[in-house]
Amino acid sequence: SRRRHTRSSVESRGLGDVYKRQPLGIRNAAVHYHFATKTDLGVALIDRYRLVLRGTTQEFMEVGGNPVSQLDTYIQWIRNSYVKHGAICPMGILAVNFNTLPEAMQTRAQLLVNEMLQWLSRVLEVGRDGGLFFFNGPALDKACAVKGLLQGAAQLARINGVGVLDSAVRQLRRDLGRA
């Protein structure tokens, strides 16, 4: 929880906020020893998100698996992380601030989004090929729609409660023929 708040503070207000607000015993010099600039820290955070994504999706990407389970696990992760625990979606933060981010962070953000969409496309394609999901058009198009739906619903759930996300997930399941 403390690490999540620290990461959120850095993402929303910069390193100075961490120094002032966090009772972690972290000194300004210690952070700057590891990260000379905010850009270096931002790149490291995005790379960490990419590493976590790869760690959780690598096996499916290499050998396949149960696409329904993959999608359900992703939905549950969104529900637990963003709605239940109040975390903010890294892609949401990056998207809102994209035009003001340094080029190195923009490049890493694009890689993160592309990797997420590649995984989600594969999940949807494997599901469709196996008769588990039903949709028209390219899997990448559907992946973009699914990611947008879930990310938007998670953000709205922060305002109006988890019912918004639950409604969106029910509609997604109907759209995929899983209702």
Side-chain angles (χ1 to χ4, degrees), residues 110-129:
Q110 289 168 331
L111 290 171
L112 175 63
V113 170
N114 290 340
E115 289 166 2
M116 164 58 78
L117 291 174
Q118 285 173 358
W119 165 76
L120 194 49
S121 294
R122 178 134 166 80
V123 167
L124 293 166
E125 194 164 22
V126 168
R128 180 169 58 185
D129 291 349

Side-chain angles (χ1 to χ4, degrees), residues 155-176:
Q155 290 174 337
L156 292 175
R158 292 175 60 85
I159 298 169
N160 282 2
V162 72
V164 173
L165 179 62
D166 293 340
S167 292
V169 168
R170 282 192 300 272
Q171 184 59 48
L172 172 61
R173 289 188 171 126
R174 284 190 291 270
D175 290 349
L176 292 174

Side-chain angles (χ1 to χ4, degrees), residues 66-127:
N66 183 332
V68 174
S69 175
Q70 288 281 306
L71 186 59
D72 287 347
T73 298
Y74 176 55
I75 291 168
Q76 193 58 43
W77 179 74
I78 289 172
R79 194 173 208 286
N80 287 338
S81 298
Y82 306 141
V83 179
K84 185 176 177 185
H85 297 295
I88 298 173
C89 175
M91 288 184 206
I93 292 169
L94 294 167
V96 167
N97 297 296
F98 188 79
N99 291 331
T100 63
L101 294 175
E103 186 177 336
M105 288 180 65
Q106 288 181 347
T107 299
R108 290 304 207 296
Q110 289 168 331
L111 290 171
L112 175 63
V113 170
N114 290 340
E115 289 166 2
M116 164 58 78
L117 291 174
Q118 285 173 358
W119 165 76
L120 194 49
S121 294
R122 178 134 166 80
V123 167
L124 293 166
E125 194 164 22
V126 168

